[in-house]
Amino acid sequence: MTITGHSTDNSAALWLRRYHPATDSGVRLVCFPHAGGSASFFHPVSATFSARAEVIALQYPGRQDRRREPCVTDLGTLADRVTEQLLALDDKPTVFFGHSMGAVLAFETAWRLEQKGINAPRAVIASGRRAPSSTRPETVHQRDDDGVIAELRLLNGTDPGVLGDDEILRMALPAIRGDYRAIETYRCEPEDRALQCPVTVLTGADDPRTTLDEATAWERHTHGAFRLEVFPGGHFFLAGQQAAVNAEISRELDEAGNS
């Protein structure tokens, strides 16, 4: 794995992970993990697309090799920090792909880059998350440890080995709780944020945290084209639908490279 970047303060090596080299790639894919997730979640995606794209997976503070850093518990602040890293990259056609909390973070980062007119993505793929303006009264971050673990089991996106290993779980819980606080306290109105680029939304038909109406509401947050794709499965439908999800990513990379 190579960890590289161009930030003047060398922090890019912490934030931007490149698991596979991409030789003379004309397009870029930036992947935004879910709450409690890490850059390594997207290692298979990097392996799939590295021959045709520069694939970057974000590593947020508070997890894995960054576990000693404090989590960023405000999503706007996290978007500001990610934006700073992406502004330093060379310009090339880019697609953002974010799952769950990562979908909203990708949206907020894209909006900031569009406002600056630098390195804005050609498209955003928002997976497994209701629209930014669709809110629910959720307080997972205020639960005790057992309550947070119950949510993880409901969404079925955490390795069962982790849930059964008390030591590993205790190491991961601060990041999970911090991310939940960031996404659960986030608020956005349709009139506040609308992207210029197209938005493609991927959702699981049985996702307990996103209804079809809530997924469709993403359309209010783009002035570009909008497309919704529904897959069998729950919140982490992409685990069982990886080939179909990869096809969606491939489509957007093709369009970004040809636009």
Side-chain angles (χ1 to χ4, degrees):
M1 177 187 75
T2 359
I3 303 175
T4 59
H6 309 289
S7 178
T8 54
D9 63 358
N10 296 320
S11 63
L14 295 174
W15 287 89
L16 310 179
R17 307 297 166 96
R18 297 170 173 88
Y19 292 109
H20 303 88
T23 306
D24 297 328
S25 56
V27 292
R28 175 183 292 131
L29 174 66
V30 181
C31 301
F32 295 71
H34 54 281
S38 59
S40 59
F41 180 80
F42 291 107
H43 189 280
V45 174
S46 176
T48 297
F49 291 101
S50 60
R52 56 180 291 201
E54 175 192 9
V55 183
I56 295 175
L58 290 168
Q59 184 78 315
Y60 313 141
R63 66 219 66 217
Q64 292 186 331
D65 58 325
R66 302 190 71 183
R67 64 182 178 276
R68 291 183 175 85
E69 299 177 52
C71 295
V72 180
T73 58
D74 176 79
L75 195 128
T77 301
L78 186 56
D80 289 341
R81 296 183 67 182
V82 172
T83 298
E84 178 184 0
Q85 299 300 322
L86 299 183
L87 281 171
L89 298 177
D90 59 308
D91 185 28
K92 68 173 62 175
T94 298
V95 173
F96 284 1
F97 176 82
H99 183 71
S100 195
M101 181 189 83
V104 178
L105 183 59
F107 166 78
E108 283 288 336
T109 303
W111 184 83
R112 283 160 170 75
L113 291 170
E114 286 188 348
Q115 297 305 299
K116 294 178 180 296
I118 303 173
N119 286 355
R122 302 288 179 89
V124 171
I125 304 174
S127 168
R129 181 68 191 181
R130 56 187 177 271
S133 55
S134 297
T135 60
R136 295 186 183 190
E138 294 179 328
T139 55
V140 173
H141 71 281
Q142 296 177 347
R143 298 180 188 176
D144 61 14
D145 288 354
D146 288 343
V148 175
I149 293 169
E151 177 71 9
L152 300 180
R153 293 187 187 280
L154 172 68
L155 298 184
N156 198 30
T158 304
D159 185 341
V162 172
L163 291 176
D165 189 315
D166 186 67
E167 183 178 357
I168 295 177
L169 190 56
R170 288 185 183 279
M171 290 174 59
L173 275 175
I176 295 168
R177 190 183 301 279
D179 288 352
Y180 268 101
R181 179 177 179 182
I183 192 60
E184 290 180 342
T185 58
Y186 168 82
R187 295 293 181 270
C188 175
E189 297 299 327
E191 59 269 20
D192 294 339
R193 298 280 193 276
L195 300 179
Q196 299 301 316
C197 72
V199 172
T200 295
V201 174
L202 315 181
T203 191
D206 301 313
D207 189 339
R209 293 292 178 258
T210 303
T211 67
L212 187 58
D213 286 345
E214 288 171 329
T216 304
W218 274 96
E219 188 171 10
R220 297 181 289 182
H221 294 280
T222 178
H223 296 300
F226 173 78
R227 193 162 54 87
L228 173 66
E229 298 292 338
V230 182
F231 297 87
H235 187 67
F236 281 93
F237 65 90
L238 69 175
Q241 301 290 326
Q242 194 61 66
V245 171
N246 285 346
E248 295 296 332
I249 295 172
S250 181
R251 171 177 172 165
E252 295 300 337
L253 287 172
D254 285 343
E255 292 191 5
N258 294 328
S259 60

